[in-house]
Every structure is written in C-alpha cells, then in structure tokens.
Amino acid sequence: MQQGFVLLELIAVALLTTLLAVWGANTLVNAMNDAKAQDAAVWMLSIRNSAQAYLERYAGVLAQAEHAQVLQGQGYADWAAPSLVELKADALLAPGFPERAAIGGVALRILRDGLCPGPDCRVQALVYSSSPLVQGRAGRIDAQMVARFLMAAQGLGGSVMPAQPMYVRGPAFAYPNPSWSGEALPPGTVAVAVTSEQLASAGFLRVGDVRNPDFQGPANIRGDVLAGSDLNVARYLRLGAQEELFLPCDQDGAVARETERGSLLICREGSWRTASRGGAGGFSINHVWGCSNSKGTSTANPMTHACSCPPGAAMVQISDSGPQELPEGRTVGYLCLD
C-alpha cells in the first residue's frame, strides 16, 4: 500500500515538473516574441521619423509634383517611393541604420490627397512591412505578433486585418488598400504612417512650403529677408540703419535714415542721396562778398556747407541780381538738382 502512495507522489511530481517546464517554455517564447515585436516597432518608427523628415524637407515639391523624377537631382528615382538607401544618401537616415529587421524588410509610400498637384495638395507617408506576419509553413496570420507590434507602436501603428482587407488602418490613420496602383497588401501586413494632421500639428514651416503661415504674433529674424514679390506693410516701416548724406555706399537701391535729420536716404550711383529728386539744396555767390551777403550772412548750400553742389548734382542758375555797385555787389543764385 505504501508503495502505491509513493508511485502516486512520483507521478504528481512528474506532472508538476512537466507543467512548469511547459509554462517556462511558453513564458520564454512570449518574452522572445515581445522583444521581436518591440524591436520591429522601434525600427519602423525610426523609418517613420525619416519619412516625416522627408515630407518636411520636400513637401512643397511633392505637392506640385507632376512626374516621378522631380527629386532626381536630390537622389530619388521616384518621389512617391523613396528607398532606405536613398534616405541614407540624403542624410535622413543614419548610414549604419539596418535595412532589415526580425520581421523582414520594409517599404515606404508617399500618398497625396486633395487638389493635386497644387498648393492645396496634402502629402502623407505610409511605412509598411514587405511581407505579412505569419506563423508556420501554413502561412496563417500571426495575430499575436500583429497585436504585440501594435501595442509596441503605442498608437502609431496599424495593419491589414483579415476581416477588412480593403484597408490599412490603425488608431491614427486609415488608407484604402492599396492607395496606389499595384497589388493590395496582404492581411497581416503591419504599418506606421505620417498623416497630414500630424504634419500640420508639428508647428513649423518646411523648406519649399507654399502655404501661407499666417503668423499671429511678432517674428524675429536675424538674417536678411528676401521677398520675391511685393512687400505690403499695413502700418509703419521703421529703419534702423543711419547714414551720412553724400557719403559713399555700395548697395545701390538701399534705404537708410540720415543721421542728423532722420530724412530718408537712398543709395544711388555710389553715394547716399535724399529720397526726393531736387533735394540737393542751393546757394548763391556774391561777386564782392563771396559765399555770404553784405550783412555777413552765409549763403552756402546747407547740404554741403559751402557754395557748391553735392557730388553728382547738377548746378542750375536760377537768379542773377545784375550789375550792382558797392556795397551790395552782384549776386547769382544756383539750385542743385540731384
């Protein structure tokens, strides 16, 4: 009888050991799958960041693109399908970034909607696995791995589900499958996206952006502002640059304020001139008293402080008192035309 109890105890121990071994093996497999999904999500999210940088850099060109080779000069054979190698060459991915992960390869598609091509065209990006996540030789969709990937992507991921194979969708996006000419992505494909809403919420302008930024507050700019068309100012235009009248200048057409009087100056023909033509002053010369009258008052040009015209101004006689005897003397007046 005692031997029977011992046998039962041995069987119970064996069963418990087997259960623990199976449980441990399943735990290990689950941990490995979690790590695989985490690695895949981090890898694809990194490519998503690169795709966002691609959109930010070329959004204006992509919205207006009428043929596939518009970015050929930047190293892209087709703007709608940039490869990881091309993104690396454009410094949008690190040179050593792996081109494959545990789930396989990846592809990138640029999508457009709205009035395209044109300024109102919206650009988006979809990064998706080159092959679906399946298990075993039977090729059944690995639903657990898909779920693990979506959890690791933290709301930015999506997939093609067997129940709705006509969409690639996730919490933040939904696109027709396919959204481009070609075959549809098979169920089990996982993806991440850069949506137009996410781009709009980034809060910055992009190189080549054709949208009106519509700033609602001040804008501080350290460098030059180059406008390709008219500059319309609703209120005041304040000039900080101050220059001396008639001193040399090297940027023809530049505008500044005169140091003493604050009047408007324009760089013209190599020197600072008054903004209004004919504003070069005038003077009179007395044949007896010179650059003054009989009372000793100066008749010099206030612009030059002498009986002369500024450089480049034309001297035009406007008056002549005629022959005069002492002490007044004959006086001739001149106007300086700029």
Side-chain angles (χ1 to χ4, degrees):
M1 191 69 179
Q2 185 176 0
Q3 291 178 348
F5 282 116
V6 172
L7 181 59
L8 289 174
E9 291 175 354
L10 290 175
I11 293 173
V13 170
L15 288 173
L16 181 60
T17 302
T18 301
L19 290 174
L20 290 174
V22 172
W23 178 81
N26 286 336
T27 302
L28 178 61
V29 170
N30 288 335
M32 293 175 63
N33 287 337
D34 285 341
K36 180 179 177 181
Q38 181 72 30
D39 290 346
V42 171
W43 179 68
M44 288 188 68
L45 288 174
S46 297
I47 300 173
R48 176 193 175 276
N49 293 338
S50 177
Q52 180 169 338
Y54 174 83
L55 294 181
E56 291 167 359
R57 179 174 294 181
Y58 301 115
V61 177
L62 300 178
Q64 302 280 359
E66 296 185 357
H67 57 84
Q69 293 79 32
V70 293
L71 289 179
Q72 195 170 38
Q74 286 72 34
Y76 296 96
D78 183 357
W79 63 263
S83 68
L84 300 190
V85 173
E86 292 170 336
L87 293 173
K88 288 181 180 181
D90 201 15
L92 295 177
L93 267 180
F97 186 83
E99 297 179 19
R100 295 183 65 84
I103 61 172
V106 74
L108 171 59
R109 282 281 180 173
I110 305 302
L111 311 177
R112 301 195 301 186
D113 64 82
L115 300 176
C116 304
D120 296 324
C121 179
R122 296 184 301 175
V123 291
Q124 307 179 66
L126 182 68
V127 182
Y128 57 92
S129 58
S130 300
S131 56
L133 304 186
V134 297
Q135 57 180 178
R137 295 183 178 180
R140 292 192 302 271
I141 296 173
D142 193 341
Q144 288 188 353
M145 182 60 71
V146 172
R148 287 186 173 97
F149 172 86
L150 295 178
M151 291 180 62
Q154 299 180 351
L156 295 176
S159 65
V160 180
M161 302 300 293
Q164 292 182 312
M166 70 291 297
Y167 294 108
V168 185
R169 68 191 319 165
F173 63 88
Y175 300 114
N177 181 27
S179 296
W180 53 88
S181 59
E183 296 182 0
L185 303 177
T189 301
V190 293
V192 292
V194 183
T195 67
S196 56
E197 293 80 10
Q198 291 165 347
L199 285 174
S201 64
F204 46 76
L205 295 175
R206 308 177 189 102
V207 175
D209 208 326
V210 295
R211 300 169 301 163
N212 180 2
D214 193 20
F215 291 133
Q216 300 298 311
N220 297 326
I221 302 174
R222 291 185 179 273
D224 296 338
V225 177
L226 304 178
S229 186
D230 298 338
L231 181 63
N232 298 320
V233 181
R235 292 192 64 191
Y236 307 113
L237 180 63
R238 301 180 179 90
L239 300 176
Q242 295 185 344
E243 299 291 347
E244 296 288 343
L245 186 63
F246 305 124
L247 287 183
C249 60
D250 55 7
Q251 297 185 32
D252 200 53
V255 180
R257 292 187 299 118
E258 189 179 2
T259 302
E260 293 183 2
R261 298 183 298 174
S263 57
L264 200 63
L265 300 180
I266 296 179
C267 179
R268 189 166 59 244
E269 298 178 355
S271 63
W272 289 106
R273 311 290 182 87
T274 57
S276 58
R277 293 273 181 176
F283 61 93
S284 62
I285 298 177
N286 187 282
H287 288 191
V288 176
W289 306 104
C291 202
S292 62
N293 56 27
S294 59
K295 298 179 180 179
T297 302
S298 174
T299 58
N301 189 338
M303 298 293 183
T304 62
H305 305 290
C307 279
S308 62
C309 288
M315 186 173 64
V316 179
Q317 181 178 332
I318 58 173
S319 65
D320 189 341
S321 64
Q324 297 288 333
E325 299 180 357
L326 291 176
E328 288 81 4
R330 179 184 177 185
T331 300
V332 180
Y334 298 92
L335 180 65
C336 298
L337 299 180
D338 194 1

